[in-house]
Amino acid sequence: MPSFNAHIEEGIREHQAAWRDDALAEFRRNGGQPVSMPVETGNRDFTFTPDVDNNWFYAVGSTRSNVTGVVTVVPDENGQLKVGLDCQANTWDRYNWDESKSVTVSLPWGNDMSIPDSQMARLHPTGIAQEFDMAGSSSVKHYDLGGPASNQGPLPQPDQPGRECDRTDPGREQQEAR
């Protein structure tokens, strides 16, 4: 989703200058030896809205996310410094029902229907619904943070969805035993 991608990019953009500066300072303290430094953004909330995508809005609602990665500093064959970021986006949430929340569904004939989470929670003890953990991470992407000058170019785009619109989930079996 473009809005979630923008949310992730914002987190990287907020930190990339400081990550670059810290890695360069460590490179100098390290006597010019290559440096690899782990980095991480803080955890941030993201809400899917119905006007952007109804499926994500009704299925998930909101999620927590962050970016984790490694900043490296190495001299190239000419002695010029290259600063790079290898990172991935992470997202997670617990899908459950909070009694203080509700969702409003727009109906085609013009009326809206509000469904309190407390009503949905009643489906769990009857066996009709189940709470679950949602978690995922993107593939690792490389971004050139620049050499002598900082790179402000576009960040790498996420991979295209790989599930080909089918309902299979290769990692589901691993999650069931939790």
Side-chain angles (χ1 to χ4, degrees), residues 96-117:
N96 57 6
W97 297 275
D98 300 317
E99 290 195 26
S100 62
K101 295 181 182 176
S102 67
V103 67
T104 301
V105 178
S106 298
L107 301 173
W109 50 85
N111 294 340
D112 292 341
M113 178 174 58
S114 180
I115 304 170
D117 274 17

Side-chain angles (χ1 to χ4, degrees), residues 144-174:
D144 179 8
L145 290 177
S150 180
N151 180 10
Q152 295 300 316
L155 291 162
Q157 293 301 298
D159 294 336
Q160 293 299 313
R163 290 178 61 179
E164 306 288 326
C165 298
D166 67 15
R167 305 271 310 162
T168 62
D169 185 349
R172 182 169 289 164
E173 300 81 34
Q174 297 170 355

Side-chain angles (χ1 to χ4, degrees), residues 24-81:
L24 287 168
E26 185 61 27
F27 179 84
R28 286 188 290 277
R29 276 192 297 274
N30 199 24
Q33 295 298 312
V35 170
S36 295
M37 294 181 58
V39 294
E40 182 174 0
T41 64
N43 300 337
R44 299 171 54 213
D45 290 325
F46 179 82
T47 300
F48 298 95
T49 58
D51 57 311
V52 172
D53 191 299
N54 269 338
N55 288 331
W56 282 101
F57 172 72
Y58 289 118
V60 176
S62 63
T63 185
R64 302 283 288 160
S65 65
N66 75 352
V67 174
T68 56
V70 175
V71 174
T72 57
V73 180
V74 295
D76 68 12
E77 61 277 354
N78 299 320
Q80 294 292 321
L81 295 184

Side-chain angles (χ1 to χ4, degrees), residues 58-61 93-97 120 130-134:
Y58 289 118
V60 176
D93 196 18
R94 173 91 176 139
Y95 191 87
N96 57 6
W97 297 275
M120 296 300 290
Q130 184 176 357
E131 296 176 352
F132 62 91
D133 292 325
M134 176 195 76

